[in-house]
Amino acid sequence: MKNLSIRFRITLWFTLALIAVVLFTCFVVLYADHQIIQKTVRDNLVETVENNVDEVEFYLKKEYTDPGETDYYIAFGRGYLEIDDDFLDQVNEVYTGLYHEDGLLIYGENPISRNVSELKFSDSKIQRVKVKDSLFYVFDRRLELKGLEGMWLRGVVSAKQGTAHMSNTAQMSLLFLPIMVLVSAIGGYLLAKRMLLPVHEISESASAIGTGGDLKKRIEIGSGNDELHQLAKSFNGMFQRLEESFEAEKKFTSDASHELRTPVSVIIAQCEYSLEKPRTNEEYEEALETIQRQGRKMSKLINDMLDFTRLEMRAESYVCEPFDLSELVQSVCLDMSLIQEKGIVLKCETEERLRFCGNRQLLSRLLTNLISNAFRYGRENGHIFVKLASKEDQILLSVSDDGIGIAKEEQDQIFQRFYQADNSHSGSGTGLGLSMVKEIARFHGGEICVESEIGVGSTFCIIFKI
Ligand code: ADP
């Protein structure tokens, strides 16, 4: 069953359900039809017999009859029975007979007279008699007029009388049932095909994107808001994210290889220069220093990239726990204030005992990166100011400097991986510091912002929610 297409399965279930409903409806209709017809047959029997009751009279002498009248006279006892010419002994398959109570048929006819004569008379009651597997209704009526004592009218009608009409209904039902089911099944199949067309298109587009690798393609199934359009939207959203992360990966790989290529080229060039011909000791020393510097730069770059990838891909490997953030900030500031660079003075102001749930190692890295930048882009004999404070349900950590500042148009881009602004002439950075800071802030549910002015200084501010 699972190997069958959804379209076929829908049609099959729908058709089976339809057959069940139609069969049940037919059964109910035929049953009700049968009951109504049988009642009509019985009512007709009673009515015919009742009408005939007044058509039988007893006279001592034969009455004078108008010429043209065809009343029928039967000698009976000391007089005559007059059977009016309105007496209907056979109408609508209803047979009426005039009987003496001892079972003798005096007038009229009866299709089952012999069997009926064995059936006892029962006044104004419908009795059922089976003759050769056929059912008959019998209705008796005692005649009460003077002189008619001991006389009965008996009406008989076959229950099959309604069968002709019944079988018509049945025949119509039996003819239309398969046609209806067939038409519905074909209609259902076509409808299912039409409704599932977008699924087919989604699957075609998805596999085309999968095999062709063109993540720019999107599923086009027109406008609408049903489940299938929602599915197509979800797929398109997924392709959008895949495309973005694929592009980001591509950019990261190309940036990383570009960043690594420079130190590697410098190292190779220095080696070639040293090996080309004998050099003086100073020249060798200078070449080795360059190689060492570039080697360190590569090592930092590789470490930064690995840390970045770990944070991005395996964030769950960093455990968060509550700790004293004030203490951490003070300790990092104390360590970094020992840096003797450009005569810059680092000052720290923290609110006491601020507890925060996070990863100590990452938050220490965040602060170190910001303070390193403040040193790197600070001015001679400048100042760095680190501040930690809480406000309502937020913790604010800021690092300010009075260094070279960042141009307005670059302030959005400095958080991108490998982005280095025009002001960074030192060459010691990797362009990954701030993007790492942003990623760590994001990991802790925080946000980063920057305020900066060229020649005045910069303030980086991180806002965490508690
Ligand atoms: P880098 O390793 O180059 O410092 P970052 O990602 O840390 O990379 O910073 C990106 C760029 O932002 C830097 O190249 C620099 O131009 C600018 N920048 C960062 N911090 C500061 C700062 N405190 N003052 C001025 N410019 C800064």
Side-chain angles (χ1 to χ4, degrees), residues 180-198:
M180 266 171 62
V181 171
L182 195 72
V183 169
S184 306
I186 294 171
Y189 186 77
L190 294 176
L191 196 71
K193 186 178 172 183
R194 195 178 153 73
M195 286 177 73
L196 291 172
L197 206 62

Side-chain angles (χ1 to χ4, degrees), residues 2-163:
K2 281 187 180 160
N3 292 334
L4 299 174
S5 70
I6 294 181
R7 194 193 317 163
F8 185 79
R9 272 188 277 168
I10 290 176
T11 314
L12 189 68
W13 283 114
F14 165 78
T15 310
L16 289 177
L18 192 73
I19 289 175
V21 170
V22 170
L23 280 176
F24 179 72
T25 313
C26 266
F27 171 76
V28 171
V29 168
L30 291 181
Y31 180 76
D33 191 45
H34 175 78
Q35 295 300 319
I36 291 166
I37 288 167
Q38 291 303 305
K39 187 170 181 310
T40 312
V41 169
R42 289 194 298 268
D43 288 352
N44 197 20
L45 167 71
V46 173
E47 195 185 326
T48 308
V49 174
E50 288 292 353
N51 283 342
N52 283 336
V53 167
D54 297 335
E55 311 303 338
V56 183
E57 283 163 308
F58 177 77
Y59 295 104
L60 285 172
K61 277 196 256 161
K62 250 192 201 181
E63 284 285 297
Y64 168 78
T65 53
D66 288 336
E69 273 193 13
T70 54
D71 291 348
Y72 189 71
Y73 288 89
I74 303 166
F76 182 67
R78 285 180 289 111
Y80 294 92
L81 290 174
E82 184 210 51
I83 315 294
D84 217 87
D85 57 358
D86 290 338
F87 188 96
L88 300 173
D89 52 354
Q90 199 226 315
V91 62
N92 292 337
E93 303 290 317
V94 179
Y95 296 87
T96 312
L98 177 64
Y99 285 84
H100 192 261
E101 64 186 351
D102 57 14
L104 179 71
L105 178 65
I106 298 168
Y107 180 79
E109 50 181 303
N110 212 314
I112 49 166
S113 56
R114 211 182 305 151
N115 304 62
V116 165
S117 59
E118 287 159 16
L119 187 73
K120 280 199 170 158
F121 291 106
S122 176
D123 192 26
S124 300
K125 264 192 194 154
I126 293 177
Q127 303 184 74
R128 291 156 192 264
V129 188
K130 260 210 159 155
V131 180
K132 289 185 199 147
D133 290 336
S134 301
L135 180 68
F136 288 86
Y137 295 116
V138 176
F139 181 74
D140 299 326
R141 188 72 163 71
R142 186 201 300 274
L143 298 182
E144 281 153 1
L145 285 177
K146 206 167 168 252
L148 294 177
E149 294 82 6
M151 302 297 288
W152 289 80
L153 278 186
R154 167 162 279 180
V156 178
V157 68
S158 166
K160 273 190 189 155
Q161 203 214 330
T163 321

Side-chain angles (χ1 to χ4, degrees), residues 270-285:
Q270 286 299 312
C271 291
E272 282 169 356
Y273 167 80
S274 306
L275 295 171
E276 201 178 45
K277 60 179 184 183
R279 306 275 177 189
T280 63
N281 278 354
E282 288 78 38
E283 284 174 329
Y284 281 131
E285 211 171 296

Side-chain angles (χ1 to χ4, degrees), residues 380-394:
E380 292 289 329
N381 302 318
H383 299 85
I384 299 173
F385 187 56
V386 177
K387 192 176 172 196
L388 178 73
S390 68
K391 195 178 159 198
E392 291 163 8
D393 59 345
Q394 293 180 334

Side-chain angles (χ1 to χ4, degrees), residues 213-372:
D214 184 2
L215 291 171
K216 287 200 170 8
K217 273 193 179 170
R218 294 290 176 269
I219 296 166
E220 305 287 348
I221 55 167
S223 58
N225 207 22
D226 59 17
E227 290 85 343
L228 294 175
H229 285 85
Q230 300 279 359
L231 181 69
K233 268 185 208 153
S234 307
F235 262 103
N236 284 340
M238 188 183 76
F239 289 137
Q240 176 75 29
R241 285 193 297 282
L242 270 177
E243 188 194 348
E244 280 165 12
S245 66
F246 185 72
E247 288 299 323
E249 272 330 293
K250 230 163 69 174
K251 187 168 183 311
F252 182 70
T253 317
S254 97
D255 286 349
S257 47
H258 179 261
E259 292 299 316
L260 284 170
R261 201 174 295 139
T262 316
V264 168
S265 311
V266 174
I267 289 170
I268 292 170
Q270 286 299 312
C271 291
E272 282 169 356
Y273 167 80
S274 306
L275 295 171
E276 201 178 45
K277 60 179 184 183
R279 306 275 177 189
T280 63
N281 278 354
E282 288 78 38
E283 284 174 329
Y284 281 131
E285 211 171 296
E286 212 176 294
L288 280 173
E289 273 172 9
T290 311
I291 291 171
Q292 188 188 41
R293 213 174 35 250
Q294 295 301 327
R296 281 199 179 128
K297 189 173 178 183
M298 271 172 65
S299 161
K300 185 170 181 333
L301 191 66
I302 290 166
N303 283 336
D304 279 358
M305 282 185 342
L306 287 177
D307 287 346
F308 202 96
T309 312
R310 185 178 163 204
L311 187 60
E312 223 181 23
M313 304 295 211
R314 295 193 297 120
E316 70 285 351
S317 63
Y318 291 101
V319 182
C320 290
E321 52 193 7
F323 68 96
D324 191 337
L325 185 61
S326 312
E327 196 193 288
L328 178 98
V329 172
Q330 283 160 6
S331 132
V332 172
C333 286
L334 189 67
D335 289 349
M336 299 208 67
S337 63
L338 301 175
I339 298 174
Q340 302 288 316
E341 208 176 315
K342 301 181 196 167
I344 294 174
V345 179
L346 171 68
K347 279 194 185 154
C348 179
E349 185 186 298
T350 59
E351 201 176 300
E352 285 302 308
R353 289 193 195 83
L354 261 184
R355 290 192 71 75
F356 181 68
C357 184
N359 183 281
R360 288 180 72 98
Q361 188 197 339
L362 288 177
L363 289 166
S364 158
R365 176 75 180 272
L366 175 147
L367 191 55
T368 311
N369 281 7
L370 289 177
I371 297 176
S372 302

Side-chain angles (χ1 to χ4, degrees), residues 373 376-377 401 406 414 419-421 423-424 429-431 433-434 458:
N373 279 354
R376 196 176 301 145
Y377 306 108
D401 64 63
I406 310 157
I414 52 174
Y419 187 83
Q420 291 186 298
N423 59 15
S424 61
T430 60
L434 282 182
S458 316

